[in-house]
Amino acid sequence: MKAAGVGIVSYGTYVPRYRITPDEIGKVWGVDGKAMGKNLNIHSKSVPSPDEDTITISTEALRVAIARGKIDPRDIGALYVGSESHPYAVKPTATVVAQAIGATPSLTAADFEFACKAGTAAIQVCMGMVSSGMIKYGVAIGSDTSQGAPGDALEYSASAGGGAFIIGKGPVIARIDATSSYTTDTPDFWRREGQRYPSHGGRFTGEPAFFRHVTECAKRIMSEQGTKPSDYQYVVFHQPNGKFPQRAGKMLGFTDDQMRYGLVTPYIGNTYSGAALIGLANVLDHAKPGDHVLVVGYGSGAGSDAFDITVTDEIATYDRSTGTPVQESLESGTPLTYAVYAKFRGKIRLSGS
Amino acid sequence: MSVARFWRETLRRYNLGASKCPDCETVFFPPRPVCPRCAVHRKSIAKMEPCQLSGHGKVYSYTIVHEAADGFEMQVPYVLAMVQMSEGPMLTGQIVDVEPSQVKEGLEVKASFRKLREEGEGGVIHYGYKFAPASQAPKAP
């Protein structure tokens, strides 16, 4: 799907301060955590404080985006938060975020859910609303505080963080020239209503799920745009671990150099709905005018959304110093023991609970 | 705290909504409908200007809490501080993302949007401001 005159006006991210390593997790479960981390290409993952959730992470990320772009919150006509860890089953995350940034009451707001690609789906909806002239700015947020069951392979990767993108007609720091999606009914990962932890199909999450959707979606958008991997300076994939996106990139013909900024999971873990968006934010933190970027998100269940993006001259004067740059989030963090991590994540059964 | 009572305070808790006297320019938090500092209070009635605190301030004084209030058990020990905002008002708030031993008077902080408490497992969740050190970047493990 071609897009005309729509792009990213501003962006911001938020990654909680605490980290835990696969080695620390493995010690508790009698597993070689170092080997597990090496297999997954994860050195550490972020952990939210007990007072952080998808609402607080979304708000902090969006506040950075608003400050960087000098956006008047009253110009935001739509706000969507994509997550699989909304704090309420009924009561929107988006309304709290909208109130906290001063965008209420003249806007439409809703929560999106599509496993890890709810944030990219929100970008597509904002693109449509901006293109049609319904709104001036649309906000798309991908944010999560996901959990893996104790001892499950997911526990080594499931982390917390979010990215907020303000979509508009201009001036844009990056033009979104096209978007394309690839969607099927593929039950590779799910969480039933009322269940605390998700379930997954083990190896089934690989070939028929992540790799099929990501590679087919990437091929589709490149075919539509008449481009090839070497036409892009950077590529960003959804990154449930550090290995899957590297392999998908190789399958498609991308190099490690093209993936170097977009791959953030090895340092902060899989931030689910935030993963591809934080990767894109890190690319934009480093990009220069004219850079061509391919983004391919993925959500279990399953689907992929791809975006063909061109960085504009506006990036040269855009304020990238406000807030915490993604690179700093990758290089910083306070380590936790598994005991404190378990306390923070509510994995300890308390008296009366 | 009832749902309605907290809801009425969302402007100040979410956005640090304050008010400013147009005459003496004193900023008040929570917002006041009249300026108590000006000699002729009545002149400020209906003239107080709504404004928003920047969120930047310095720790004026603090205490380390070891006996938690209900709902804060998971955060013990935590720091509760009086923060002098750059616009003038003094706020009480929790200092997060820091080792309690590293909090000092004069520490520069910035507001951070956090979960304040939950009304039980099935109740409403209250959000608002806390404070985090303005600059910190501990090295990754």
Side-chain angles (χ1 to χ4, degrees):
Chain A
M1 292 173 273
K2 296 274 185 190
V6 182
I8 297 162
V9 174
S10 189
Y11 67 97
T13 62
Y14 181 83
V15 180
R17 174 181 186 239
Y18 296 100
R19 303 283 183 273
I20 190 166
T21 62
D23 187 31
E24 178 67 19
I25 296 170
K27 277 183 207 164
V28 174
W29 301 112
V31 172
D32 185 346
K34 278 187 180 157
M36 179 70 93
K38 196 175 174 189
N39 285 340
L40 295 170
N41 188 20
I42 289 180
H43 309 298
S44 63
K45 70 165 193 170
S46 63
V47 181
S49 300
D51 59 358
E52 291 180 305
D53 62 17
T54 293
I55 287 177
T56 67
I57 289 170
S58 301
T59 301
E60 288 290 316
L62 182 52
R63 281 182 173 170
V64 171
I66 287 171
R68 285 177 167 183
K70 299 174 181 61
I71 302 292
D72 183 343
R74 290 168 299 185
D75 286 337
I76 293 169
L79 191 154
Y80 301 115
V81 183
S83 178
E84 60 172 64
S85 49
H86 292 291
Y88 290 97
V90 179
K91 161 91 181 80
T93 297
T95 55
V96 183
V97 177
Q99 188 86 42
I101 57 145
T104 53
S106 298
L107 82 165
T108 179
D111 291 355
F112 282 15
E113 195 281 317
F114 193 146
C116 297
K117 85 161 190 76
T120 53
I123 290 178
Q124 291 178 325
V125 173
C126 288
M127 288 171 65
M129 294 184 77
V130 168
S131 294
S132 66
M134 288 174 70
I135 57 172
K136 182 176 181 184
Y137 296 133
V139 168
I141 299 172
S143 170
D144 260 306
T145 56
S146 294
Q147 293 221 47
D152 187 89
L154 279 178
E155 195 179 24
Y156 295 86
S157 59
S159 66
F165 283 74
I166 300 176
I167 307 299
K169 278 192 171 171
V172 298
I173 55 170
R175 221 172 48 234
I176 304 177
D177 295 319
T179 181
S180 190
S181 293
Y182 187 90
T183 308
T184 72
D185 175 17
T186 307
D188 58 324
F189 173 100
W190 63 91
R191 181 166 63 83
R192 294 279 300 275
E193 183 71 39
Q195 291 296 303
R196 185 166 188 182
Y197 299 114
S199 304
H200 56 84
R203 293 183 64 185
F204 186 68
T205 59
E207 294 300 338
F210 178 89
F211 292 107
R212 175 186 169 206
H213 291 79
V214 166
T215 56
E216 289 298 325
C217 193
K219 286 176 193 168
R220 182 164 297 197
I221 197 167
M222 285 192 283
S223 168
E224 289 168 357
Q225 289 296 92
T227 53
K228 54 188 183 307
S230 58
D231 292 329
Y232 297 92
Q233 274 69 44
Y234 303 110
V235 64
V236 182
F237 297 107
H238 173 56
Q239 36 208 285
N241 52 56
K243 278 282 170 70
F244 274 27
Q246 286 181 323
R247 196 171 140 208
K250 290 274 190 308
M251 289 164 74
L252 289 162
F254 289 96
T255 64
D256 287 343
D257 196 45
Q258 288 167 294
M259 289 186 262
R260 71 186 186 281
Y261 292 131
L263 187 57
V264 295
T265 286
Y267 307 98
I268 58 173
N270 177 13
T271 54
Y272 283 59
S273 300
L277 301 190
I278 296 173
L280 172 59
N282 196 33
V283 165
L284 293 175
D285 279 352
H286 293 87
K288 58 185 189 307
D291 281 346
H292 203 179
V293 185
L294 179 66
V295 179
V296 189
Y298 173 75
S300 289
S304 269
D305 299 326
F307 301 88
D308 185 299
I309 294 171
T310 304
V311 179
T312 71
D313 292 342
E314 292 291 330
I315 197 86
T317 52
Y318 176 73
D319 171 19
R320 288 186 274 193
S321 62
T322 297
T324 306
V326 176
Q327 194 65 38
E328 194 176 312
S329 295
L330 305 184
E331 293 170 356
S332 62
T334 301
L336 293 180
T337 61
Y338 190 89
V340 176
Y341 159 77
K343 185 176 83 163
F344 276 15
R345 300 305 286 132
K347 292 172 191 266
I348 298 174
R349 195 175 180 86
L350 299 174
S351 170
S353 63
Chain B
M1 184 179 283
S2 74
V3 170
R5 186 178 155 201
F6 199 94
W7 173 75
R8 286 188 201 100
E9 296 177 355
T10 52
L11 172 70
R12 66 194 77 152
R13 288 194 193 271
Y14 285 13
N15 302 321
L16 292 171
S19 67
K20 185 177 179 181
C21 173
D23 195 35
C24 70
E25 299 195 333
T26 303
V27 175
F28 297 97
F29 183 94
R32 281 177 175 269
V34 61
C35 178
R37 295 201 173 190
C38 287
V40 188
H41 304 333
R42 299 181 70 85
K43 284 177 84 174
S44 65
I45 294 175
K47 289 179 183 164
M48 296 293 283
E49 296 167 354
C51 63
Q52 192 175 339
L53 303 182
S54 64
H56 291 279
K58 285 183 180 176
V59 171
Y60 176 81
S61 186
Y62 67 97
T63 187
I64 300 172
V65 180
H66 294 274
E67 291 293 330
D70 283 351
F72 288 78
E73 297 86 353
M74 290 296 178
Q75 298 173 55
V76 169
Y78 60 89
V79 180
L80 203 58
M82 296 168 72
V83 176
Q84 180 91 57
M85 304 305 289
S86 57
E87 295 86 355
M90 187 84 80
L91 273 62
T92 303
Q94 194 178 334
I95 310 292
V96 296
D97 283 358
V98 67
E99 285 299 315
S101 61
Q102 291 176 353
V103 176
K104 305 282 179 226
E105 288 168 9
L107 176 72
E108 290 192 22
V109 294
K110 61 180 177 184
S112 178
F113 193 71
R114 297 289 174 123
K115 190 161 63 176
L116 298 182
R117 58 180 295 132
E118 299 175 28
E119 301 283 343
E121 281 199 8
V124 73
I125 307 168
H126 299 307
Y127 295 91
Y129 61 84
K130 292 186 179 181
F131 296 94
S135 60
Q136 57 170 7
K139 214 168 164 49

